[in-house]
Amino acid sequence: MIEKKVKELTNGKGEIVYANAKQDASLQNQQVDTMITNKVDVLILDAVDSKAIAGSVKKAKDADIPVVAYDRLAEGPIDAYTSFDNVTVGKTQGEALLKALGDKAKDGQIVMMNGSATDPNAKQFKDGAHSVLDGKVKIGREYDTKEWKPENANANMEGAISALGKDKIVGVYSANDGMAGGIITALKAAGIDDIPVTGQDAELNGVQRIVTGEQYMSVYKPYPQEADVAAEMAVALAKGESLDSLAKDKVDSPTTKGVPAVLVPVVSLTQDNIKDTVVKDGIYTIDEICTAKYKAACDKIGLK
């Protein structure tokens, strides 16, 4: 998506050099350092570890290479940032969970499955969720899930069920869809199949679990819009242009204050608006969602 937009903005002359660190912070530092050595014009960086990458961001700055932090607020002297309003993501999840719980919120307990402690986004999701949930529902157990891994969320959920008792849990706040999958597996194994679980990212598996009712909601983040903004910022910075007309917000990282930013709005995705969100935006087709396994469930909710 970013490459297509760059080509459009540069009349086909923009070249993208892509590297995937596969969630390895050390590898990502090496990749960035290589790009600096090769004198790229600008870097778009989706940090694996926001703190660990700060040294490489400083090297880029020293080499006069602008850095656009993409999706995750990297530390170091970044020049621009685009993502979603992460506190609002957490609020959206928390509000949806309370809506699903209804009167059960008064007497029951929930489990909170937050993301990785090394990810600054995870803290913002958590802060947003707490701002909505605190005082409205009892949080029986809460976890920061190492590396966001579904298997770690699964193990944490098993621990929560053992500690609280399966009849005492009325819902689960899950910070993303991947972890929701691990959580739901643990719930099913314990014979719990009728409580709301949140998510984020509108992954295909997550959308299909929403169709079946196993997962209550996900937060849909319009990634094409985020990618377009990253490309626009990068091209402008490479040309030495101001971001004033593009970036209306400012954000502070632990190391850099007043970073020009574009924060893209998010949507609470439930059974009611699958067609108007991920299908309408071309993320998935109905055929991709409603495979043979999910055809009956899709028909039941009118997704055709």
Side-chain angles (χ1 to χ4, degrees):
M1 289 184 285
I2 290 177
E3 183 173 8
K4 180 180 179 181
K5 188 64 175 180
V6 168
K7 294 285 188 183
E8 177 187 321
L9 293 168
T10 60
N11 296 317
K13 297 178 182 178
E15 181 182 354
I16 297 280
V17 179
Y18 175 76
N20 188 334
K22 299 178 181 178
Q23 293 300 305
D24 184 327
S26 296
L27 176 58
Q28 187 170 61
N29 275 298
Q30 293 170 19
Q31 291 169 340
V32 172
D33 291 351
T34 297
M35 290 184 181
I36 293 169
T37 300
N38 292 336
K39 300 180 179 178
V40 297
D41 295 312
V42 61
L43 280 163
I44 298 175
L45 175 66
D46 184 1
V48 173
D49 185 316
S50 61
K51 294 181 183 293
I53 201 65
S56 291
V57 174
K58 175 66 164 56
K59 289 179 185 177
K61 187 72 171 180
D62 292 343
D64 293 322
I65 298 172
V67 177
V68 177
Y70 175 72
D71 203 53
R72 192 167 285 125
L73 188 56
E75 295 191 16
I78 60 173
D79 297 273
Y81 171 59
T82 183
S83 186
F84 302 91
D85 187 328
N86 295 321
V87 173
T88 297
V89 169
K91 287 180 178 179
T92 300
Q93 293 167 320
E95 288 164 356
L97 184 57
L98 288 178
K99 180 180 178 181
L101 289 173
D103 291 340
K104 291 182 180 179
K106 298 176 184 177
D107 303 315
Q109 300 181 75
I110 67 164
V111 175
M112 285 192 73
M113 202 71 64
N114 305 308
S116 171
T118 64
D119 183 346
N121 289 7
K123 182 181 184 304
Q124 293 176 327
F125 301 145
K126 178 165 62 173
D127 290 347
H130 271 291
S131 73
V132 171
L133 296 171
D134 289 354
K136 301 286 182 63
V137 64
K138 182 178 180 181
I139 299 167
R141 284 291 186 276
E142 182 171 5
Y143 303 88
D144 290 330
T145 309
K146 187 176 180 182
E147 298 176 344
W148 290 90
K149 288 186 175 180
E151 58 266 36
N152 294 335
N154 177 271
N156 290 341
M157 193 66 222
E158 288 178 347
I161 294 167
S162 177
L164 301 175
K166 69 177 186 178
D167 297 329
K168 302 296 184 181
I169 301 169
V170 296
V172 183
Y173 167 85
S174 172
N176 78 353
D177 291 342
M179 295 194 306
I183 289 163
I184 289 166
T185 298
L187 291 172
K188 284 183 174 180
I192 306 170
D193 59 4
D194 59 350
I195 66 172
V197 178
T198 67
Q200 177 185 181
D201 297 327
E203 292 182 356
L204 181 57
N205 289 340
V207 174
Q208 289 170 329
R209 286 193 297 268
I210 290 170
V211 166
T212 64
E214 295 171 305
Q215 183 172 325
Y216 175 65
M217 64 82 71
S218 184
V219 175
Y220 169 52
K221 303 190 294 189
Y223 292 110
Q225 186 177 347
E226 183 191 30
D228 284 354
V229 169
E232 290 167 3
M233 285 178 155
V235 170
L237 288 168
K239 292 179 177 179
E241 297 173 354
S242 169
L243 297 179
D244 289 348
S245 63
L246 178 62
K248 302 300 184 182
D249 293 309
K250 301 279 186 182
V251 299
D252 296 337
S253 81
T255 58
T256 307
K257 305 299 181 185
V259 178
V262 175
L263 301 176
V264 180
V266 301
V267 180
S268 178
L269 174 70
T270 65
Q271 288 184 349
D272 296 332
N273 62 355
I274 292 172
K275 189 177 289 187
D276 294 330
T277 52
V278 292
V279 174
K280 181 180 177 182
D281 289 354
I283 306 300
Y284 311 117
T285 65
I286 289 179
D287 285 345
E288 286 173 325
I289 298 168
C290 300
T291 58
K293 180 179 178 181
Y294 299 97
K295 181 69 167 57
C298 284
D299 289 346
K300 186 177 180 180
I301 65 171
L303 186 60
K304 301 177 181 178

Tab-separated table of all heavy atoms in Angstrom, residues 30-83:
chain	number	residue	atom	x	y	z
A	30	GLN	N	19.945	-3.635	12.507
A	30	GLN	CA	20.894	-3.905	11.417
A	30	GLN	C	20.327	-3.451	10.078
A	30	GLN	O	21.032	-2.861	9.252
A	30	GLN	CB	21.203	-5.407	11.364
A	30	GLN	CG	21.966	-5.941	12.576
A	30	GLN	CD	22.032	-7.464	12.591
A	30	GLN	OE1	21.837	-8.118	11.568
A	30	GLN	NE2	22.292	-8.028	13.757
A	31	GLN	N	19.047	-3.709	9.854
A	31	GLN	CA	18.413	-3.330	8.590
A	31	GLN	C	18.403	-1.812	8.419
A	31	GLN	O	18.694	-1.297	7.329
A	31	GLN	CB	16.985	-3.874	8.545
A	31	GLN	CG	16.919	-5.391	8.422
A	31	GLN	CD	15.509	-5.926	8.639
A	31	GLN	OE1	14.655	-5.258	9.228
A	31	GLN	NE2	15.255	-7.144	8.171
A	32	VAL	N	18.074	-1.097	9.493
A	32	VAL	CA	18.059	0.367	9.425
A	32	VAL	C	19.460	0.903	9.183
A	32	VAL	O	19.669	1.808	8.361
A	32	VAL	CB	17.451	0.966	10.707
A	32	VAL	CG1	17.619	2.487	10.728
A	32	VAL	CG2	15.975	0.610	10.819
A	33	ASP	N	20.440	0.340	9.878
A	33	ASP	CA	21.822	0.786	9.695
A	33	ASP	C	22.292	0.575	8.255
A	33	ASP	O	22.999	1.416	7.680
A	33	ASP	CB	22.758	0.044	10.659
A	33	ASP	CG	22.544	0.458	12.120
A	33	ASP	OD1	21.786	1.438	12.342
A	33	ASP	OD2	23.112	-0.189	13.017
A	34	THR	N	21.871	-0.529	7.667
A	34	THR	CA	22.226	-0.798	6.269
A	34	THR	C	21.597	0.238	5.350
A	34	THR	O	22.235	0.727	4.406
A	34	THR	CB	21.762	-2.211	5.861
A	34	THR	OG1	22.451	-3.170	6.667
A	34	THR	CG2	22.054	-2.484	4.392
A	35	MET	N	20.354	0.572	5.600
A	35	MET	CA	19.680	1.577	4.773
A	35	MET	C	20.339	2.952	4.909
A	35	MET	O	20.444	3.706	3.940
A	35	MET	CB	18.201	1.652	5.138
A	35	MET	CG	17.410	0.424	4.714
A	35	MET	SD	15.652	0.596	5.065
A	35	MET	CE	15.044	-1.004	4.495
A	36	ILE	N	20.802	3.250	6.120
A	36	ILE	CA	21.522	4.517	6.331
A	36	ILE	C	22.818	4.514	5.533
A	36	ILE	O	23.160	5.492	4.852
A	36	ILE	CB	21.798	4.739	7.834
A	36	ILE	CG1	20.482	4.954	8.587
A	36	ILE	CG2	22.728	5.935	8.045
A	36	ILE	CD1	20.625	4.917	10.098
A	37	THR	N	23.541	3.397	5.596
A	37	THR	CA	24.794	3.269	4.833
A	37	THR	C	24.549	3.423	3.341
A	37	THR	O	25.359	4.023	2.620
A	37	THR	CB	25.437	1.892	5.115
A	37	THR	OG1	25.727	1.787	6.516
A	37	THR	CG2	26.728	1.725	4.323
A	38	ASN	N	23.401	2.906	2.883
A	38	ASN	CA	23.058	2.990	1.457
A	38	ASN	C	22.429	4.335	1.068
A	38	ASN	O	22.028	4.519	-0.081
A	38	ASN	CB	22.113	1.845	1.076
A	38	ASN	CG	22.802	0.491	1.132
A	38	ASN	OD1	24.020	0.409	1.009
A	38	ASN	ND2	22.029	-0.561	1.317
A	39	LYS	N	22.333	5.233	2.055
A	39	LYS	CA	21.906	6.621	1.817
A	39	LYS	C	20.508	6.726	1.208
A	39	LYS	O	20.302	7.379	0.178
A	39	LYS	CB	22.931	7.350	0.947
A	39	LYS	CG	24.316	7.415	1.581
A	39	LYS	CD	25.313	8.148	0.706
A	39	LYS	CE	26.677	8.206	1.372
A	39	LYS	NZ	27.703	8.887	0.530
A	40	VAL	N	19.553	6.061	1.855
A	40	VAL	CA	18.164	6.242	1.435
A	40	VAL	C	17.762	7.694	1.712
A	40	VAL	O	18.384	8.390	2.517
A	40	VAL	CB	17.219	5.270	2.167
A	40	VAL	CG1	17.563	3.831	1.827
A	40	VAL	CG2	17.250	5.494	3.680
A	41	ASP	N	16.704	8.153	1.057
A	41	ASP	CA	16.268	9.539	1.216
A	41	ASP	C	15.438	9.757	2.479
A	41	ASP	O	15.468	10.830	3.079
A	41	ASP	CB	15.437	9.968	0.003
A	41	ASP	CG	16.265	9.999	-1.276
A	41	ASP	OD1	17.364	10.573	-1.255
A	41	ASP	OD2	15.803	9.430	-2.290
A	42	VAL	N	14.687	8.737	2.863
A	42	VAL	CA	13.824	8.837	4.033
A	42	VAL	C	13.507	7.427	4.517
A	42	VAL	O	13.503	6.476	3.721
A	42	VAL	CB	12.523	9.611	3.695
A	42	VAL	CG1	11.731	8.902	2.615
A	42	VAL	CG2	11.671	9.864	4.929
A	43	LEU	N	13.259	7.275	5.809
A	43	LEU	CA	12.922	5.980	6.391
A	43	LEU	C	11.496	5.995	6.927
A	43	LEU	O	11.102	6.935	7.624
A	43	LEU	CB	13.866	5.657	7.556
A	43	LEU	CG	15.255	5.115	7.229
A	43	LEU	CD1	16.160	5.251	8.441
A	43	LEU	CD2	15.159	3.651	6.824
A	44	ILE	N	10.715	4.968	6.595
A	44	ILE	CA	9.417	4.723	7.242
A	44	ILE	C	9.634	3.521	8.151
A	44	ILE	O	9.960	2.433	7.678
A	44	ILE	CB	8.309	4.445	6.219
A	44	ILE	CG1	8.106	5.658	5.305
A	44	ILE	CG2	7.006	4.106	6.935
A	44	ILE	CD1	7.120	5.429	4.183
A	45	LEU	N	9.462	3.724	9.450
A	45	LEU	CA	9.883	2.732	10.432
A	45	LEU	C	8.731	2.259	11.304
A	45	LEU	O	8.122	3.049	12.030
A	45	LEU	CB	10.976	3.350	11.318
A	45	LEU	CG	11.474	2.530	12.496
A	45	LEU	CD1	12.193	1.274	12.025
A	45	LEU	CD2	12.393	3.376	13.374
A	46	ASP	N	8.427	0.976	11.233
A	46	ASP	CA	7.478	0.332	12.141
A	46	ASP	C	8.312	-0.411	13.176
A	46	ASP	O	8.741	-1.549	12.951
A	46	ASP	CB	6.565	-0.613	11.359
A	46	ASP	CG	5.482	-1.233	12.233
A	46	ASP	OD1	5.437	-0.916	13.437
A	46	ASP	OD2	4.684	-2.030	11.718
A	47	ALA	N	8.556	0.231	14.300
A	47	ALA	CA	9.525	-0.283	15.278
A	47	ALA	C	9.060	-1.581	15.931
A	47	ALA	O	7.925	-1.676	16.391
A	47	ALA	CB	9.793	0.764	16.350
A	48	VAL	N	9.946	-2.554	15.981
A	48	VAL	CA	9.689	-3.782	16.729
A	48	VAL	C	9.713	-3.472	18.222
A	48	VAL	O	8.843	-3.881	18.984
A	48	VAL	CB	10.729	-4.865	16.388
A	48	VAL	CG1	10.563	-6.077	17.307
A	48	VAL	CG2	10.614	-5.280	14.938
A	49	ASP	N	10.745	-2.745	18.644
A	49	ASP	CA	10.915	-2.328	20.039
A	49	ASP	C	11.237	-0.843	20.015
A	49	ASP	O	12.283	-0.439	19.505
A	49	ASP	CB	12.042	-3.131	20.690
A	49	ASP	CG	12.202	-2.844	22.179
A	49	ASP	OD1	12.153	-1.652	22.551
A	49	ASP	OD2	12.403	-3.782	22.963
A	50	SER	N	10.332	-0.037	20.532
A	50	SER	CA	10.464	1.415	20.401
A	50	SER	C	11.726	1.966	21.049
A	50	SER	O	12.307	2.944	20.568
A	50	SER	CB	9.242	2.101	21.008
A	50	SER	OG	9.132	1.783	22.385
A	51	LYS	N	12.167	1.361	22.145
A	51	LYS	CA	13.377	1.827	22.824
A	51	LYS	C	14.635	1.345	22.109
A	51	LYS	O	15.599	2.095	21.930
A	51	LYS	CB	13.397	1.335	24.281
A	51	LYS	CG	12.313	1.932	25.156
A	51	LYS	CD	12.419	1.398	26.582
A	51	LYS	CE	11.292	1.933	27.463
A	51	LYS	NZ	11.405	3.387	27.676
A	52	ALA	N	14.626	0.076	21.697
A	52	ALA	CA	15.823	-0.524	21.113
A	52	ALA	C	16.230	0.141	19.807
A	52	ALA	O	17.405	0.125	19.427
A	52	ALA	CB	15.610	-2.025	20.894
A	53	ILE	N	15.279	0.746	19.104
A	53	ILE	CA	15.565	1.322	17.797
A	53	ILE	C	16.088	2.758	17.897
A	53	ILE	O	16.542	3.332	16.887
A	53	ILE	CB	14.298	1.284	16.911
A	53	ILE	CG1	14.644	1.380	15.413
A	53	ILE	CG2	13.323	2.380	17.304
A	53	ILE	CD1	15.435	0.223	14.877
A	54	ALA	N	16.065	3.347	19.082
A	54	ALA	CA	16.396	4.766	19.238
A	54	ALA	C	17.793	5.105	18.722
A	54	ALA	O	18.001	6.164	18.103
A	54	ALA	CB	16.262	5.177	20.699
A	55	GLY	N	18.765	4.212	18.938
A	55	GLY	CA	20.126	4.467	18.475
A	55	GLY	C	20.211	4.574	16.962
A	55	GLY	O	20.903	5.447	16.421
A	56	SER	N	19.484	3.719	16.277
A	56	SER	CA	19.494	3.757	14.817
A	56	SER	C	18.768	4.992	14.294
A	56	SER	O	19.147	5.559	13.267
A	56	SER	CB	18.850	2.482	14.256
A	56	SER	OG	19.670	1.358	14.497
A	57	VAL	N	17.720	5.413	14.994
A	57	VAL	CA	17.032	6.647	14.607
A	57	VAL	C	17.982	7.836	14.730
A	57	VAL	O	18.009	8.718	13.865
A	57	VAL	CB	15.769	6.861	15.468
A	57	VAL	CG1	15.139	8.222	15.171
A	57	VAL	CG2	14.755	5.751	15.220
A	58	LYS	N	18.779	7.835	15.788
A	58	LYS	CA	19.769	8.914	15.975
A	58	LYS	C	20.811	8.890	14.851
A	58	LYS	O	21.214	9.943	14.324
A	58	LYS	CB	20.452	8.735	17.329
A	58	LYS	CG	21.596	9.713	17.623
A	58	LYS	CD	21.102	11.144	17.755
A	58	LYS	CE	22.127	12.050	18.405
A	58	LYS	NZ	23.434	12.078	17.752
A	59	LYS	N	21.226	7.705	14.440
A	59	LYS	CA	22.178	7.599	13.321
A	59	LYS	C	21.573	8.176	12.041
A	59	LYS	O	22.260	8.841	11.266
A	59	LYS	CB	22.563	6.129	13.090
A	59	LYS	CG	23.453	5.533	14.169
A	59	LYS	CD	23.745	4.073	13.853
A	59	LYS	CE	24.524	3.404	14.974
A	59	LYS	NZ	24.748	1.956	14.703
A	60	ALA	N	20.296	7.900	11.826
A	60	ALA	CA	19.622	8.441	10.639
A	60	ALA	C	19.598	9.965	10.696
A	60	ALA	O	19.867	10.644	9.695
A	60	ALA	CB	18.209	7.879	10.541
A	61	LYS	N	19.274	10.492	11.852
A	61	LYS	CA	19.228	11.940	12.023
A	61	LYS	C	20.593	12.554	11.739
A	61	LYS	O	20.707	13.579	11.046
A	61	LYS	CB	18.792	12.273	13.447
A	61	LYS	CG	18.536	13.752	13.702
A	61	LYS	CD	17.254	14.197	13.025
A	61	LYS	CE	16.856	15.598	13.447
A	61	LYS	NZ	15.602	16.038	12.795
A	62	ASP	N	21.642	11.928	12.264
A	62	ASP	CA	23.004	12.430	12.041
A	62	ASP	C	23.389	12.389	10.562
A	62	ASP	O	24.233	13.165	10.112
A	62	ASP	CB	24.012	11.612	12.864
A	62	ASP	CG	23.857	11.840	14.362
A	62	ASP	OD1	23.222	12.844	14.748
A	62	ASP	OD2	24.353	11.010	15.146
A	63	ALA	N	22.761	11.472	9.822
A	63	ALA	CA	23.032	11.351	8.381
A	63	ALA	C	22.050	12.175	7.544
A	63	ALA	O	22.023	12.041	6.315
A	63	ALA	CB	22.966	9.882	7.968
A	64	ASP	N	21.254	13.011	8.213
A	64	ASP	CA	20.255	13.858	7.539
A	64	ASP	C	19.203	13.054	6.778
A	64	ASP	O	18.752	13.448	5.699
A	64	ASP	CB	20.936	14.857	6.594
A	64	ASP	CG	21.760	15.899	7.339
A	64	ASP	OD1	21.310	16.325	8.417
A	64	ASP	OD2	22.840	16.249	6.859
A	65	ILE	N	18.842	11.905	7.343
A	65	ILE	CA	17.786	11.067	6.760
A	65	ILE	C	16.557	11.169	7.667
A	65	ILE	O	16.592	10.719	8.809
A	65	ILE	CB	18.240	9.598	6.639
A	65	ILE	CG1	19.437	9.480	5.703
A	65	ILE	CG2	17.084	8.728	6.141
A	65	ILE	CD1	20.056	8.095	5.671
A	66	PRO	N	15.468	11.781	7.194
A	66	PRO	CA	14.258	11.891	8.016
A	66	PRO	C	13.664	10.515	8.321
A	66	PRO	O	13.780	9.591	7.512
A	66	PRO	CB	13.304	12.718	7.151
A	66	PRO	CG	14.143	13.326	6.083
A	66	PRO	CD	15.299	12.405	5.864
A	67	VAL	N	13.017	10.404	9.471
A	67	VAL	CA	12.390	9.149	9.883
A	67	VAL	C	10.910	9.389	10.188
A	67	VAL	O	10.566	10.241	11.012
A	67	VAL	CB	13.076	8.555	11.125
A	67	VAL	CG1	12.355	7.274	11.571
A	67	VAL	CG2	14.542	8.258	10.846
A	68	VAL	N	10.045	8.625	9.504
A	68	VAL	CA	8.615	8.621	9.791
A	68	VAL	C	8.311	7.379	10.625
A	68	VAL	O	8.509	6.253	10.153
A	68	VAL	CB	7.773	8.597	8.495
A	68	VAL	CG1	6.282	8.524	8.837
A	68	VAL	CG2	8.069	9.805	7.625
A	69	ALA	N	7.876	7.564	11.853
A	69	ALA	CA	7.471	6.432	12.690
A	69	ALA	C	6.073	5.998	12.254
A	69	ALA	O	5.141	6.804	12.245
A	69	ALA	CB	7.479	6.828	14.155
A	70	TYR	N	5.962	4.740	11.896
A	70	TYR	CA	4.724	4.209	11.313
A	70	TYR	C	4.084	3.216	12.267
A	70	TYR	O	4.711	2.214	12.647
A	70	TYR	CB	5.062	3.539	9.975
A	70	TYR	CG	3.913	2.834	9.286
A	70	TYR	CD1	2.884	3.565	8.700
A	70	TYR	CD2	3.866	1.449	9.201
A	70	TYR	CE1	1.839	2.927	8.047
A	70	TYR	CE2	2.831	0.795	8.551
A	70	TYR	CZ	1.816	1.546	7.974
A	70	TYR	OH	0.785	0.910	7.336
A	71	ASP	N	2.862	3.510	12.691
A	71	ASP	CA	2.042	2.626	13.513
A	71	ASP	C	2.494	2.535	14.965
A	71	ASP	O	1.698	2.324	15.860
A	71	ASP	CB	1.944	1.228	12.906
A	71	ASP	CG	0.710	0.483	13.384
A	71	ASP	OD1	-0.392	1.050	13.267
A	71	ASP	OD2	0.839	-0.639	13.888
A	72	ARG	N	3.799	2.676	15.224
A	72	ARG	CA	4.330	2.574	16.582
A	72	ARG	C	5.292	3.732	16.802
A	72	ARG	O	6.148	3.995	15.962
A	72	ARG	CB	5.029	1.221	16.752
A	72	ARG	CG	5.372	0.866	18.165
A	72	ARG	CD	5.766	-0.601	18.262
A	72	ARG	NE	4.606	-1.485	18.182
A	72	ARG	CZ	4.483	-2.476	17.306
A	72	ARG	NH1	5.427	-2.713	16.425
A	72	ARG	NH2	3.409	-3.235	17.313
A	73	LEU	N	5.168	4.403	17.925
A	73	LEU	CA	5.941	5.612	18.185
A	73	LEU	C	7.364	5.258	18.621
A	73	LEU	O	7.633	5.027	19.799
A	73	LEU	CB	5.251	6.461	19.252
A	73	LEU	CG	5.815	7.848	19.520
A	73	LEU	CD1	5.856	8.678	18.252
A	73	LEU	CD2	4.992	8.552	20.588
A	74	ALA	N	8.263	5.210	17.661
A	74	ALA	CA	9.666	4.893	17.951
A	74	ALA	C	10.301	6.014	18.752
A	74	ALA	O	9.953	7.187	18.607
A	74	ALA	CB	10.433	4.692	16.652
A	75	GLU	N	11.246	5.670	19.603
A	75	GLU	CA	11.999	6.676	20.338
A	75	GLU	C	13.171	7.165	19.486
A	75	GLU	O	13.498	6.579	18.459
A	75	GLU	CB	12.473	6.114	21.675
A	75	GLU	CG	11.302	5.795	22.600
A	75	GLU	CD	11.723	5.485	24.019
A	75	GLU	OE1	12.878	5.796	24.397
A	75	GLU	OE2	10.896	4.934	24.772
A	76	GLY	N	13.795	8.251	19.942
A	76	GLY	CA	14.836	8.881	19.146
A	76	GLY	C	14.260	10.068	18.387
A	76	GLY	O	13.049	10.325	18.424
A	77	PRO	N	15.108	10.814	17.666
A	77	PRO	CA	14.676	12.053	17.001
A	77	PRO	C	13.898	11.818	15.705
A	77	PRO	O	14.372	12.107	14.604
A	77	PRO	CB	15.999	12.775	16.748
A	77	PRO	CG	17.010	11.675	16.590
A	77	PRO	CD	16.582	10.592	17.545
A	78	ILE	N	12.682	11.274	15.839
A	78	ILE	CA	11.850	11.043	14.658
A	78	ILE	C	11.299	12.375	14.140
A	78	ILE	O	11.185	13.352	14.880
A	78	ILE	CB	10.702	10.063	14.945
A	78	ILE	CG1	9.790	10.600	16.062
A	78	ILE	CG2	11.236	8.684	15.288
A	78	ILE	CD1	8.547	9.784	16.291
A	79	ASP	N	10.957	12.393	12.863
A	79	ASP	CA	10.485	13.622	12.225
A	79	ASP	C	8.977	13.678	12.068
A	79	ASP	O	8.405	14.765	11.926
A	79	ASP	CB	11.136	13.762	10.843
A	79	ASP	CG	12.646	13.901	10.948
A	79	ASP	OD1	13.111	15.037	11.106
A	79	ASP	OD2	13.336	12.862	10.892
A	80	ALA	N	8.318	12.517	12.080
A	80	ALA	CA	6.875	12.476	11.894
A	80	ALA	C	6.350	11.132	12.387
A	80	ALA	O	7.116	10.173	12.561
A	80	ALA	CB	6.514	12.669	10.420
A	81	TYR	N	5.044	11.078	12.595
A	81	TYR	CA	4.429	9.869	13.141
A	81	TYR	C	3.017	9.733	12.603
A	81	TYR	O	2.266	10.716	12.555
A	81	TYR	CB	4.392	9.973	14.664
A	81	TYR	CG	3.602	8.917	15.400
A	81	TYR	CD1	3.909	7.567	15.289
A	81	TYR	CD2	2.551	9.279	16.247
A	81	TYR	CE1	3.194	6.606	15.994
A	81	TYR	CE2	1.835	8.331	16.957
A	81	TYR	CZ	2.169	6.992	16.831
A	81	TYR	OH	1.462	6.038	17.531
A	82	THR	N	2.666	8.549	12.164
A	82	THR	CA	1.275	8.280	11.829
A	82	THR	C	0.856	6.950	12.425
A	82	THR	O	1.599	5.965	12.394
A	82	THR	CB	1.019	8.289	10.302
A	82	THR	OG1	-0.385	8.081	10.077
A	82	THR	CG2	1.793	7.200	9.586
A	83	SER	N	-0.313	6.957	13.004
A	83	SER	CA	-0.866	5.755	13.606
A	83	SER	C	-2.336	6.035	13.857
A	83	SER	O	-2.933	6.897	13.215
A	83	SER	CB	-0.134	5.420	14.915
A	83	SER	OG	-0.589	4.180	15.433
